[in-house]
Short mmCIF file of all heavy atoms in Angstrom, two decimals:
data_model
loop_
_atom_site.label_atom_id
_atom_site.label_comp_id
_atom_site.label_asym_id
_atom_site.label_seq_id
_atom_site.Cartn_x
_atom_site.Cartn_y
_atom_site.Cartn_z
N TYR A 1 -1.42 -0.68 5.56
CA TYR A 1 -2.08 -1.96 5.39
C TYR A 1 -1.28 -3.13 5.84
O TYR A 1 -0.16 -3.23 5.47
CB TYR A 1 -2.51 -2.22 3.87
CG TYR A 1 -3.49 -3.27 3.82
CD1 TYR A 1 -4.81 -3.07 4.15
CD2 TYR A 1 -3.13 -4.42 3.22
CE1 TYR A 1 -5.79 -4.10 3.93
CE2 TYR A 1 -4.10 -5.47 3.03
CZ TYR A 1 -5.42 -5.28 3.37
OH TYR A 1 -6.29 -6.23 3.22
N MET A 2 -1.82 -3.83 6.87
CA MET A 2 -1.09 -4.85 7.59
C MET A 2 -1.59 -6.19 6.91
O MET A 2 -2.80 -6.52 6.89
CB MET A 2 -1.34 -4.88 9.01
CG MET A 2 -1.42 -3.48 9.63
SD MET A 2 0.12 -2.46 9.34
CE MET A 2 1.29 -3.24 10.40
N ASN A 3 -0.64 -6.97 6.43
CA ASN A 3 -0.89 -8.25 5.67
C ASN A 3 -1.92 -9.11 6.40
O ASN A 3 -1.69 -9.63 7.47
CB ASN A 3 0.49 -9.04 5.50
CG ASN A 3 0.23 -10.22 4.65
OD1 ASN A 3 -0.64 -10.35 3.89
ND2 ASN A 3 1.08 -11.21 4.94
N PRO A 4 -3.05 -9.38 5.70
CA PRO A 4 -4.07 -10.22 6.32
C PRO A 4 -3.94 -11.72 5.91
O PRO A 4 -4.66 -12.53 6.46
CB PRO A 4 -5.38 -9.69 5.69
CG PRO A 4 -4.97 -9.26 4.31
CD PRO A 4 -3.57 -8.74 4.43
N THR A 5 -2.92 -12.10 5.09
CA THR A 5 -2.76 -13.42 4.61
C THR A 5 -2.24 -14.29 5.75
O THR A 5 -1.28 -13.95 6.45
CB THR A 5 -1.85 -13.48 3.46
OG1 THR A 5 -2.30 -12.64 2.42
CG2 THR A 5 -1.71 -14.92 2.86
N GLN A 6 -2.84 -15.52 5.88
CA GLN A 6 -2.34 -16.40 7.02
C GLN A 6 -1.15 -17.12 6.56
O GLN A 6 -1.13 -18.24 6.13
CB GLN A 6 -3.49 -17.37 7.26
CG GLN A 6 -4.79 -16.78 7.80
CD GLN A 6 -4.66 -16.29 9.21
OE1 GLN A 6 -3.86 -16.79 9.98
NE2 GLN A 6 -5.46 -15.25 9.61
N ASP A 7 -0.02 -16.39 6.73
CA ASP A 7 1.29 -17.06 6.37
C ASP A 7 2.30 -16.44 7.35
O ASP A 7 1.95 -15.87 8.30
CB ASP A 7 1.70 -16.73 4.95
CG ASP A 7 1.76 -15.29 4.56
OD1 ASP A 7 1.80 -14.43 5.51
OD2 ASP A 7 1.67 -14.94 3.37
N ALA A 8 3.58 -16.76 7.02
CA ALA A 8 4.67 -16.31 7.91
C ALA A 8 4.72 -14.72 8.13
O ALA A 8 5.33 -14.38 9.04
CB ALA A 8 5.99 -16.82 7.41
N PHE A 9 4.06 -14.02 7.21
CA PHE A 9 4.15 -12.55 7.29
C PHE A 9 2.78 -11.97 7.74
O PHE A 9 2.46 -10.82 7.41
CB PHE A 9 4.57 -12.03 5.88
CG PHE A 9 5.98 -12.41 5.45
CD1 PHE A 9 6.08 -13.48 4.56
CD2 PHE A 9 7.02 -11.87 5.93
CE1 PHE A 9 7.34 -13.87 4.11
CE2 PHE A 9 8.30 -12.24 5.65
CZ PHE A 9 8.45 -13.24 4.74
N LEU A 10 2.01 -12.73 8.34
CA LEU A 10 0.67 -12.21 8.90
C LEU A 10 0.95 -11.00 9.78
O LEU A 10 1.78 -10.99 10.62
CB LEU A 10 -0.03 -13.26 9.65
CG LEU A 10 -1.30 -12.92 10.35
CD1 LEU A 10 -2.31 -12.70 9.26
CD2 LEU A 10 -1.75 -13.98 11.38
N GLY A 11 0.21 -9.92 9.42
CA GLY A 11 0.29 -8.74 10.20
C GLY A 11 1.42 -7.76 9.90
O GLY A 11 1.52 -6.63 10.47
N CYS A 12 2.29 -8.16 8.90
CA CYS A 12 3.45 -7.31 8.53
C CYS A 12 2.88 -6.09 7.74
O CYS A 12 2.02 -6.28 6.85
CB CYS A 12 4.41 -8.09 7.71
SG CYS A 12 5.28 -9.36 8.59
N MET A 13 3.48 -4.93 7.90
CA MET A 13 3.18 -3.77 7.15
C MET A 13 3.65 -4.01 5.68
O MET A 13 4.73 -4.46 5.47
CB MET A 13 3.87 -2.45 7.71
CG MET A 13 3.63 -1.24 6.91
SD MET A 13 4.71 0.11 7.39
CE MET A 13 4.06 0.55 8.89
N LEU A 14 2.74 -3.65 4.76
CA LEU A 14 3.12 -3.76 3.33
C LEU A 14 3.91 -2.46 2.92
O LEU A 14 3.56 -1.32 3.19
CB LEU A 14 1.89 -3.86 2.44
CG LEU A 14 0.98 -4.99 2.71
CD1 LEU A 14 -0.10 -5.13 1.59
CD2 LEU A 14 1.73 -6.33 2.72
N ARG A 15 5.09 -2.68 2.22
CA ARG A 15 5.95 -1.60 1.79
C ARG A 15 6.45 -1.96 0.35
O ARG A 15 6.72 -3.01 -0.01
CB ARG A 15 7.20 -1.53 2.66
CG ARG A 15 7.00 -1.00 4.08
CD ARG A 15 8.37 -0.74 4.68
NE ARG A 15 8.29 -0.10 6.00
CZ ARG A 15 8.45 -0.84 7.14
NH1 ARG A 15 8.68 -2.10 7.02
NH2 ARG A 15 8.41 -0.20 8.25
N ASP A 16 6.52 -0.76 -0.44
CA ASP A 16 6.95 -0.86 -1.81
C ASP A 16 6.37 -2.09 -2.61
O ASP A 16 7.03 -2.87 -3.15
CB ASP A 16 8.46 -1.07 -1.82
CG ASP A 16 9.27 0.23 -1.71
OD1 ASP A 16 8.73 1.28 -2.12
OD2 ASP A 16 10.35 0.20 -1.05
N ARG A 17 5.01 -2.07 -2.59
CA ARG A 17 4.32 -3.14 -3.31
C ARG A 17 2.90 -2.76 -3.63
O ARG A 17 2.33 -1.95 -2.92
CB ARG A 17 4.43 -4.47 -2.50
CG ARG A 17 3.88 -4.34 -1.19
CD ARG A 17 3.72 -5.82 -0.50
NE ARG A 17 2.70 -6.65 -1.24
CZ ARG A 17 2.45 -7.79 -0.78
NH1 ARG A 17 3.10 -8.40 0.22
NH2 ARG A 17 1.50 -8.43 -1.40
N TRP A 18 2.35 -3.56 -4.56
CA TRP A 18 1.03 -3.44 -4.97
C TRP A 18 0.19 -4.29 -4.04
O TRP A 18 0.63 -5.40 -3.57
CB TRP A 18 0.69 -3.85 -6.36
CG TRP A 18 1.36 -2.97 -7.39
CD1 TRP A 18 2.55 -3.18 -8.16
CD2 TRP A 18 0.85 -1.74 -7.92
NE1 TRP A 18 2.88 -2.17 -8.96
CE2 TRP A 18 1.73 -1.21 -8.87
CE3 TRP A 18 -0.21 -0.94 -7.63
CZ2 TRP A 18 1.58 -0.04 -9.56
CZ3 TRP A 18 -0.52 0.25 -8.31
CH2 TRP A 18 0.45 0.75 -9.29
N ALA A 19 -1.08 -3.99 -3.87
CA ALA A 19 -2.02 -4.92 -3.14
C ALA A 19 -3.44 -4.62 -3.65
O ALA A 19 -3.81 -3.49 -3.98
CB ALA A 19 -1.95 -4.61 -1.64
N THR A 20 -4.11 -5.73 -3.77
CA THR A 20 -5.56 -5.63 -4.15
C THR A 20 -6.32 -5.89 -2.93
O THR A 20 -6.25 -6.99 -2.27
CB THR A 20 -5.86 -6.63 -5.33
OG1 THR A 20 -5.02 -6.35 -6.46
CG2 THR A 20 -7.25 -6.57 -5.71
N VAL A 21 -7.25 -4.99 -2.62
CA VAL A 21 -8.10 -5.08 -1.51
C VAL A 21 -9.51 -4.89 -1.86
O VAL A 21 -9.88 -3.82 -2.47
CB VAL A 21 -7.70 -4.10 -0.33
CG1 VAL A 21 -8.61 -4.27 0.91
CG2 VAL A 21 -6.26 -4.22 0.05
N ASP A 22 -10.44 -5.82 -1.62
CA ASP A 22 -11.83 -5.75 -2.00
C ASP A 22 -11.98 -5.38 -3.46
O ASP A 22 -12.84 -4.51 -3.83
CB ASP A 22 -12.51 -4.75 -1.16
CG ASP A 22 -12.63 -5.17 0.35
OD1 ASP A 22 -12.60 -6.46 0.54
OD2 ASP A 22 -12.56 -4.35 1.21
N GLY A 23 -11.12 -5.90 -4.39
CA GLY A 23 -11.18 -5.68 -5.77
C GLY A 23 -10.59 -4.42 -6.30
O GLY A 23 -10.60 -4.16 -7.55
N LYS A 24 -10.00 -3.60 -5.44
CA LYS A 24 -9.31 -2.37 -5.90
C LYS A 24 -7.88 -2.36 -5.62
O LYS A 24 -7.43 -3.13 -4.72
CB LYS A 24 -9.96 -1.15 -5.14
CG LYS A 24 -11.46 -0.95 -5.42
CD LYS A 24 -12.04 0.27 -4.76
CE LYS A 24 -13.52 0.42 -5.19
NZ LYS A 24 -14.13 1.55 -4.42
N THR A 25 -7.12 -1.70 -6.49
CA THR A 25 -5.64 -1.78 -6.44
C THR A 25 -5.02 -0.57 -5.80
O THR A 25 -5.40 0.55 -5.99
CB THR A 25 -5.11 -1.95 -7.82
OG1 THR A 25 -5.69 -3.17 -8.44
CG2 THR A 25 -3.57 -2.18 -7.81
N TYR A 26 -4.07 -0.80 -4.85
CA TYR A 26 -3.36 0.22 -4.09
C TYR A 26 -1.90 0.11 -4.24
O TYR A 26 -1.34 -1.07 -4.55
CB TYR A 26 -3.75 0.14 -2.62
CG TYR A 26 -5.21 0.33 -2.42
CD1 TYR A 26 -6.11 -0.82 -2.52
CD2 TYR A 26 -5.79 1.46 -2.02
CE1 TYR A 26 -7.41 -0.75 -2.30
CE2 TYR A 26 -7.16 1.59 -1.74
CZ TYR A 26 -7.98 0.45 -1.92
OH TYR A 26 -9.30 0.62 -1.58
N TRP A 27 -1.08 1.21 -4.05
CA TRP A 27 0.40 1.12 -3.95
C TRP A 27 0.71 1.67 -2.59
O TRP A 27 0.25 2.67 -2.09
CB TRP A 27 1.03 1.95 -5.02
CG TRP A 27 2.53 1.98 -4.85
CD1 TRP A 27 3.29 3.00 -4.32
CD2 TRP A 27 3.40 0.98 -5.17
NE1 TRP A 27 4.56 2.69 -4.30
CE2 TRP A 27 4.77 1.40 -4.85
CE3 TRP A 27 3.36 -0.33 -5.76
CZ2 TRP A 27 5.91 0.66 -5.01
CZ3 TRP A 27 4.46 -1.05 -6.05
CH2 TRP A 27 5.73 -0.54 -5.59
N PHE A 28 1.58 0.84 -1.97
CA PHE A 28 2.11 1.28 -0.63
C PHE A 28 3.60 1.61 -0.73
O PHE A 28 4.42 0.82 -1.22
CB PHE A 28 1.88 0.05 0.48
CG PHE A 28 0.37 -0.15 0.61
CD1 PHE A 28 -0.25 -1.12 -0.09
CD2 PHE A 28 -0.31 0.61 1.53
CE1 PHE A 28 -1.65 -1.34 0.07
CE2 PHE A 28 -1.68 0.38 1.69
CZ PHE A 28 -2.33 -0.60 0.98
N THR A 29 3.94 2.73 -0.27
CA THR A 29 5.20 3.35 -0.44
C THR A 29 6.24 2.70 0.44
O THR A 29 5.95 1.82 1.17
CB THR A 29 5.10 4.90 -0.17
OG1 THR A 29 4.84 5.05 1.24
CG2 THR A 29 4.04 5.48 -1.03
N SER A 30 7.54 3.24 0.36
CA SER A 30 8.58 2.65 1.07
C SER A 30 8.40 2.80 2.59
O SER A 30 9.00 2.04 3.36
CB SER A 30 9.95 3.32 0.70
OG SER A 30 9.82 4.72 0.92
N ASP A 31 7.64 3.81 3.06
CA ASP A 31 7.41 3.94 4.53
C ASP A 31 6.15 3.20 4.91
O ASP A 31 5.67 3.30 6.04
CB ASP A 31 7.47 5.43 4.92
CG ASP A 31 6.22 6.15 4.38
OD1 ASP A 31 5.42 5.61 3.66
OD2 ASP A 31 6.13 7.37 4.63
N GLY A 32 5.45 2.54 3.87
CA GLY A 32 4.23 1.80 4.24
C GLY A 32 2.97 2.54 4.01
O GLY A 32 1.89 1.99 4.09
N SER A 33 3.03 3.91 3.84
CA SER A 33 1.83 4.60 3.65
C SER A 33 1.22 4.44 2.28
O SER A 33 1.86 4.16 1.30
CB SER A 33 2.08 6.12 3.98
OG SER A 33 3.00 6.58 2.97
N MET A 34 -0.04 4.55 2.24
CA MET A 34 -0.86 4.37 0.98
C MET A 34 -0.62 5.60 0.03
O MET A 34 -0.75 6.78 0.48
CB MET A 34 -2.34 4.20 1.30
CG MET A 34 -3.27 4.07 0.11
SD MET A 34 -5.06 4.15 0.62
CE MET A 34 -5.18 5.89 1.03
N ALA A 35 -0.29 5.33 -1.22
CA ALA A 35 -0.08 6.38 -2.14
C ALA A 35 -1.37 7.14 -2.51
O ALA A 35 -2.42 6.46 -2.58
CB ALA A 35 0.62 5.86 -3.43
N GLU A 36 -1.36 8.40 -2.71
CA GLU A 36 -2.42 9.19 -3.08
C GLU A 36 -2.05 10.15 -4.22
O GLU A 36 -0.86 10.64 -4.16
CB GLU A 36 -3.07 9.91 -1.91
CG GLU A 36 -3.56 9.02 -0.83
CD GLU A 36 -4.22 9.72 0.35
OE1 GLU A 36 -5.39 10.31 0.09
OE2 GLU A 36 -3.67 9.81 1.40
N GLY A 37 -2.98 10.56 -5.04
CA GLY A 37 -2.62 11.51 -6.19
C GLY A 37 -1.70 10.86 -7.17
O GLY A 37 -1.69 9.61 -7.33
N TRP A 38 -0.94 11.68 -7.91
CA TRP A 38 0.02 11.17 -8.91
C TRP A 38 1.20 10.60 -8.18
O TRP A 38 1.78 11.17 -7.26
CB TRP A 38 0.40 12.25 -9.90
CG TRP A 38 -0.63 12.73 -10.81
CD1 TRP A 38 -1.41 13.84 -10.75
CD2 TRP A 38 -1.08 11.94 -11.95
NE1 TRP A 38 -2.35 13.89 -11.82
CE2 TRP A 38 -2.17 12.66 -12.58
CE3 TRP A 38 -0.73 10.71 -12.58
CZ2 TRP A 38 -2.83 12.27 -13.71
CZ3 TRP A 38 -1.39 10.29 -13.69
CH2 TRP A 38 -2.42 11.13 -14.23
N TYR A 39 1.61 9.38 -8.70
CA TYR A 39 2.68 8.69 -8.03
C TYR A 39 3.47 7.88 -9.04
O TYR A 39 2.80 7.13 -9.84
CB TYR A 39 2.29 7.86 -6.87
CG TYR A 39 3.33 7.62 -5.83
CD1 TYR A 39 3.60 8.41 -4.77
CD2 TYR A 39 4.21 6.47 -5.92
CE1 TYR A 39 4.59 8.19 -3.80
CE2 TYR A 39 5.12 6.21 -4.94
CZ TYR A 39 5.33 7.12 -3.94
OH TYR A 39 6.30 6.91 -2.97
N GLN A 40 4.78 7.94 -9.06
CA GLN A 40 5.54 7.13 -10.01
C GLN A 40 6.04 5.74 -9.39
O GLN A 40 6.54 5.72 -8.30
CB GLN A 40 6.83 7.94 -10.44
CG GLN A 40 7.51 7.23 -11.58
CD GLN A 40 8.77 8.04 -12.15
OE1 GLN A 40 9.37 8.73 -11.31
NE2 GLN A 40 9.00 8.00 -13.38
#
């Protein structure tokens, strides 16, 4: 997921962070990939 916010980080890959997209919550891992299944 590439940051859609119109700020200095527009287009940056999200890493090691939560993100809410269209009302749903996701976790993006250290390599930027979306977490699936059980994840700590």
Side-chain angles (χ1 to χ4, degrees):
Y1 194 71
M2 320 307 285
N3 181 29
T5 306
Q6 297 288 331
D7 58 20
F9 298 99
L10 176 68
C12 296
M13 177 193 289
L14 300 188
R15 288 190 176 99
D16 277 328
R17 58 171 290 183
W18 295 100
T20 300
V21 183
D22 296 330
K24 296 180 180 180
T25 303
Y26 302 81
W27 174 260
F28 295 95
T29 66
S30 59
D31 67 2
S33 61
M34 178 187 74
E36 298 183 70
W38 288 105
Y39 203 90
Q40 189 177 32

